Amino acid sequence: MNYEEYYRRANDDYQAYYDALALAQAADPQLTARTRDAEGTMPDEARDKLFNVSAEIKNTFHEFGVALPPLLEGCTVLDLCCGSGRDTYLAAQLVGPNGKVIGVEPNAARLAIAQKYLDKEIKQFGYESCNVELIHGVPEDLSAISSDSVDVVISNCTFNMSPDKGAYIAEVKRVLKDGGEWYFTDVFTDRRIPQETAEQVQRVAERLGGAMFIEDFRRMAQNAGFHDPRYLLTWQTPLTEEEAANYPEIAFATITSRLINSELTSDHCEDYGEEIIYDGSLPDYPEFFLFDKDIKFPANQSMHVCDNVSVLGLGTRYKKVISVKGDRSRHFGDIHGDHIIKTAPNFEGVHDEDDQPIQASCC
């Protein structure tokens, strides 16, 4: 199946598509919010800084939760479909005066709200110079941003609205530095939404019709060079009765994802005998660091990990708090043990359906 074609809703006029989505959305922005401020979705360091963000920005923003990873100080962060700028201005405080945040928003009216408070916000943060750049544009065309220039890309339940998800993913990959991270929250499904439903602008505007089948996302991300997508937080997406009736038997989940841009990763967890130690120094993670929904690094304890996990301490900003033992000089195969190989029977005594010995060949 041509996955990119299936998830393409517009040719080249992405702006017109986003304008149509904005017109189709409810006047109250919180009616289309799909993230929730559930436990763990908003870091304490971000919650504390909400008080510095102007009320109009917060009241016209379309989400509740915050998709912000730790260790952003000094980073260049790109916020896609930033809306009125709440997460942009939160990130601006987390990166500090030596970092930079770029907000990209297709809707001119929402971007105008973010722009309206730019000088006030920078003054509120106590910065001598502005560390925020706001761009009227679309995620599918980030030509205003240089390749290999961004440390972290974030978005808050807006990837699902993209009219060309293949182009979106490719642009994220292009602008990220080696070792950079795509960290975002969005709605995914357990199957493909029927084409006739997914093509309805109103359904997409509800943040549901454009949701991807989670396995299609994995395939498209891996094809783009994000070898090992990881999922940190997952919770059921709340639906009204009317919404549920529009998607019979389809399950939705809101997921926070982490994708590392590194050639040191692979599409399968491989074992090089590496171990990592998290030093416990992150204020919001004193006891453990959450890598994904299945893996936690206890503070100050050595853990045997695969190549896709050890990369955190090798080529990313996380090496500030994560150290790695091992040099990848010896390969031990599948991190879990390759059961296809290890459970293969001996050829002696194995017969085919005609009760004849199997004639094996390597090619």
Side-chain angles (χ1 to χ4, degrees):
M1 179 179 184
N2 186 331
Y3 301 106
E4 291 194 10
E5 188 63 34
Y6 181 83
Y7 291 104
R8 185 179 292 121
R9 303 285 178 249
N11 294 322
D12 296 323
D13 199 350
Y14 302 126
Q15 183 62 62
Y17 192 87
Y18 278 108
D19 286 342
L21 287 179
L23 288 173
Q25 287 183 328
D28 182 353
Q30 295 183 350
L31 289 179
T32 53
R34 295 297 173 185
T35 60
R36 291 291 181 268
D37 185 15
E39 183 179 356
T41 67
M42 185 178 292
D44 288 342
E45 60 177 351
R47 190 186 305 278
D48 293 343
K49 292 173 173 55
L50 273 174
F51 295 103
N52 293 329
V53 180
S54 298
E56 185 180 8
I57 291 174
K58 291 183 285 191
N59 292 337
T60 53
F61 195 70
H62 281 254
E63 299 302 329
F64 297 107
V66 176
L68 289 169
L71 281 175
L72 292 180
E73 185 174 358
C75 289
T76 296
V77 174
L78 173 60
D79 185 6
L80 295 178
C81 292
C82 67
S84 58
R86 189 203 65 177
D87 290 357
T88 302
Y89 287 122
L90 285 175
Q93 297 175 77
L94 296 174
V95 303
N98 296 321
K100 179 180 180 179
V101 180
I102 306 169
V104 174
E105 171 55 39
N107 183 263
R110 293 172 188 170
L111 189 68
I113 297 173
Q115 188 73 51
K116 173 182 175 182
Y117 292 94
L118 180 58
D119 293 341
K120 178 181 178 181
E121 292 297 323
I122 298 304
K123 184 178 180 180
Q124 177 76 11
F125 303 159
Y127 297 164
E128 294 183 0
S129 59
C130 183
N131 70 341
V132 172
E133 179 182 2
L134 298 171
I135 298 174
H136 183 214
V138 298
E140 296 77 12
D141 180 6
L142 298 173
S143 52
I145 301 172
S146 301
S147 299
D148 310 311
S149 63
V150 174
D151 296 292
V152 179
V153 175
I154 62 172
S155 64
N156 198 334
C157 206
T158 56
F159 172 66
N160 71 85
M161 297 192 299
S162 170
D164 189 343
K165 292 181 173 59
Y168 188 118
I169 295 172
E171 282 291 82
V172 170
K173 180 70 168 61
R174 180 185 66 80
V175 301
L176 273 176
K177 297 177 182 178
D178 182 41
E181 180 179 24
W182 182 16
Y183 188 98
F184 71 105
T185 297
D186 223 298
V187 178
F188 292 94
T189 66
D190 67 338
R191 66 200 70 188
R192 296 184 193 102
I193 293 173
Q195 194 85 41
E196 60 272 18
T197 301
E199 289 178 347
Q200 297 177 33
V201 171
Q202 183 59 51
R203 299 286 176 253
V204 178
E206 295 168 353
R207 312 288 186 90
L208 297 173
M212 287 189 77
F213 171 38
I214 188 68
E215 291 302 315
D216 285 346
F217 173 71
R218 175 189 59 78
R219 294 182 183 103
M220 290 178 68
Q222 289 180 326
N223 287 341
F226 292 108
H227 300 139
D228 188 24
R230 296 287 178 138
Y231 311 115
L232 283 81
L233 302 169
T234 63
W235 58 96
Q236 290 185 1
T237 304
L239 304 180
T240 66
E241 290 185 8
E242 180 181 356
E243 288 171 342
N246 291 327
Y247 305 94
E249 300 181 355
I250 298 178
F252 291 83
T254 305
I255 301 174
T256 298
S257 302
R258 165 181 283 132
L259 290 82
I260 301 296
N261 179 37
S262 175
E263 291 306 313
L264 293 176
T265 58
S266 57
D267 63 356
H268 187 74
C269 293
E270 299 187 13
D271 187 2
Y272 289 89
E274 295 170 299
E275 296 183 357
I276 66 166
I277 298 177
Y278 163 56
D279 67 11
S281 62
L282 293 175
D284 285 347
Y285 304 92
E287 297 180 357
F288 63 86
F289 177 82
L290 181 67
F291 177 64
D292 67 20
K293 64 183 180 62
D294 300 313
I295 299 176
K296 293 180 179 179
F297 307 145
N300 300 307
Q301 294 184 33
S302 182
M303 286 187 62
H304 179 208
V305 296
C306 73
D307 55 341
N308 293 334
V309 179
S310 67
V311 71
L312 290 181
L314 296 175
T316 77
R317 70 188 191 285
Y318 291 106
K319 63 185 179 182
K320 297 175 184 177
V321 298
I322 292 174
S323 58
V324 180
K325 295 180 181 179
D327 58 10
R328 299 200 177 190
S329 60
R330 184 179 177 189
H331 185 233
F332 295 93
D334 186 328
I335 189 72
H336 303 295
D338 195 323
H339 300 291
I340 295 176
I341 302 299
K342 293 180 179 178
T343 62
N346 295 324
F347 283 114
E348 182 179 355
V350 178
H351 292 71
D352 63 17
E353 60 184 5
D354 296 322
D355 203 30
Q356 297 297 316
I358 294 290
Q359 300 298 313
S361 174
C362 67
C363 52

